[in-house]
Amino acid sequence: MAEAGWDRSDAWIFVSVVIGGGSGRHLRSPNTRRPEGVPLAGLLATAEHLQDAIPARDEVESAIQRLCGADLVTVQDGFFRLTATGETLWRTRPRSGLSSTVDTMHGILTRSRPPGPSATWTLTEPDYAAAVRAAFAP
């Protein structure tokens, strides 16, 4: 998965961070979104909503490493947030329907910048399993 270009799953996780963190709902002002970002369980629930599938642990880990390396996303205290660069990329994208947003962002990522060097963030199997349970437990 550590290819030269962006994977579609990178865009999927990026859009999940955006929507899960509230940036997608509050287009008028970046100050109106939730400042803490989105926890892993929320990111997974949003990703599942977008694609009718739960991203695998290695997809999430690889995407976050690449997005952090490109200065589009940060992870702090268990919350995923957009950086100022990520916020700009999101807000300047062409508007499209929710069903095509991941594909639109994949194209934008591919055209705009290469993935950064992979950051060292890791997602353990127990943390991933706990987030899946928290997001999808009845």
Side-chain angles (χ1 to χ4, degrees):
M1 254 185 148
E3 300 151 9
W6 291 100
D7 295 325
R8 188 175 184 284
S9 59
D10 299 332
W12 181 23
I13 300 304
F14 178 79
V15 172
S16 298
V17 169
V18 170
I19 293 173
S23 293
R25 286 177 285 194
H26 307 292
L27 296 176
R28 287 184 295 216
S29 171
N31 298 328
T32 61
R33 72 179 190 278
R34 290 179 288 201
E36 73 273 7
V38 62
L40 181 58
L43 185 149
L44 295 176
T46 303
E48 191 279 332
H49 176 73
L50 287 170
Q51 301 291 303
D52 292 323
I54 301 169
R57 187 205 62 77
D58 62 323
E59 285 179 299
V60 175
E61 182 178 79
S62 175
I64 293 298
Q65 288 173 346
R66 292 158 56 93
L67 292 165
C68 286
D71 191 37
L72 298 174
V73 170
T74 64
V75 183
Q76 186 176 20
D77 299 328
F79 287 89
F80 301 86
R81 297 173 189 86
L82 288 182
T83 63
T85 304
E87 182 84 26
T88 299
L89 191 68
W90 173 254
R91 290 186 182 278
T92 58
R93 80 195 185 291
R95 300 291 190 244
S96 61
L98 185 60
S99 64
S100 61
T101 301
V102 172
D103 291 327
T104 299
M105 283 310 303
H106 184 240
I108 291 167
L109 288 169
T110 300
R111 287 187 304 275
S112 71
R113 65 180 56 232
S118 291
T120 59
W121 182 81
T122 58
L123 177 57
T124 67
E125 191 61 46
D127 288 343
Y128 174 78
V132 169
R133 281 191 305 277
F136 304 106

